[in-house]
Amino acid sequence: MSVDEHFWWYLSRASGMVAWIALAATCLWGILLITRMLKPADRPAWLLDLHRWLGAVTVVTVLVHVLVLLGDGYMKPTLVQLFVPFATGWAHESIAAERLSYAIGIIAFYILIVVELTSLAMKKIPRRVWGAIHLSSYLVFVLSTAHGVMAGSDAANIVFICTLVAVAAILAFSFTARVLQGRAKRLSRAAVSSR
């Protein structure tokens, strides 16, 4: 039994979509954790464990998304091309936007790794520094979305587009709620301290 010549490409596409959904869920769970929007039903320890697990799933699925391309007989990428922005030189790559989309994906991956590593070492990093780095996970989501739309062969698929819009809208709503809640807390603290 032989493997379909497009097997690695399909596996890369599928794992990329799973990674994107895991990333969105990780961001959403982080927002639920910090805002306590589900209070009193939420359990912070459970939310934190799930948030960390989803972060790990995101990293693993991104690595699968990238590394299975080594088996693709059409692209035939090297490790350098997979991990260095703008190092691509595939024969079919004639469009500058395609080169940019790959670079965006690689940059998003590196930011994701920094977020994950600093999360593992958060007790050894000043809280403000860790918080600023951790907020870049939203940038990872934006870059990953751009990468999926620009590089993905599913960009014209209506199910893909509807899913993308729905997930992005949920995350945008949740992020807005987080920002507004944070602003309200700061104003409340300022009012109390000025008395």
Side-chain angles (χ1 to χ4, degrees):
M1 183 173 151
S2 66
V3 176
D4 181 278
E5 66 178 312
H6 301 295
F7 172 79
W8 301 109
W9 175 248
Y10 292 138
L11 185 57
S12 179
R13 284 171 51 198
S15 58
M17 289 178 194
V18 170
W20 182 80
I21 290 171
L23 174 62
T26 305
C27 291
L28 181 61
W29 254 251
I31 292 168
L32 292 175
L33 182 64
I34 196 77
T35 61
R36 306 286 312 268
M37 277 192 238
L38 300 179
K39 197 175 184 178
D42 70 346
R43 299 288 175 260
W46 177 81
L47 285 173
L48 181 59
D49 287 346
L50 184 58
H51 178 65
R52 289 177 175 161
W53 182 80
L54 286 167
V57 167
T58 302
V59 171
V60 169
T61 52
V62 168
L63 282 171
V64 170
H65 170 64
V66 173
L67 292 175
V68 298
L69 286 173
L70 290 171
D72 186 67
Y74 178 67
M75 291 178 74
K76 298 178 184 172
T78 65
L79 282 173
V80 170
Q81 291 170 326
L82 291 175
F83 289 102
V84 177
F86 300 105
T88 57
W90 299 305
H92 74 286
E93 191 181 3
S94 58
I95 303 170
E98 205 169 311
R99 284 179 63 103
L100 178 62
S101 68
Y102 298 138
I104 287 172
I106 294 167
I107 292 166
F109 171 71
Y110 287 129
I111 298 170
L112 174 67
I113 294 301
V114 169
V115 170
E116 277 298 301
L117 290 177
T118 55
S119 293
L120 293 173
M122 75 183 258
K123 292 183 179 175
K124 298 176 181 173
I125 299 172
R127 181 93 173 139
R128 283 183 159 250
V129 173
W130 173 82
I133 293 169
H134 208 70
L135 284 175
S136 66
S137 59
Y138 300 116
L139 176 61
V140 174
F141 180 78
V142 170
L143 293 174
S144 299
T145 303
H147 168 72
V149 170
M150 294 169 66
S153 54
D154 295 300
N157 182 318
I158 190 71
V159 174
F160 174 79
I161 295 298
C162 288
T163 302
L164 186 138
V165 169
V167 169
I170 291 168
L171 204 52
F173 171 79
S174 301
F175 179 75
T176 302
R178 178 187 182 201
V179 169
L180 293 175
Q181 184 190 55
R183 184 174 293 156
K185 282 181 181 177
R186 281 191 301 279
L187 289 173
S188 176
R189 274 188 244 130
V192 167
S193 66
S194 68
R195 290 181 186 169

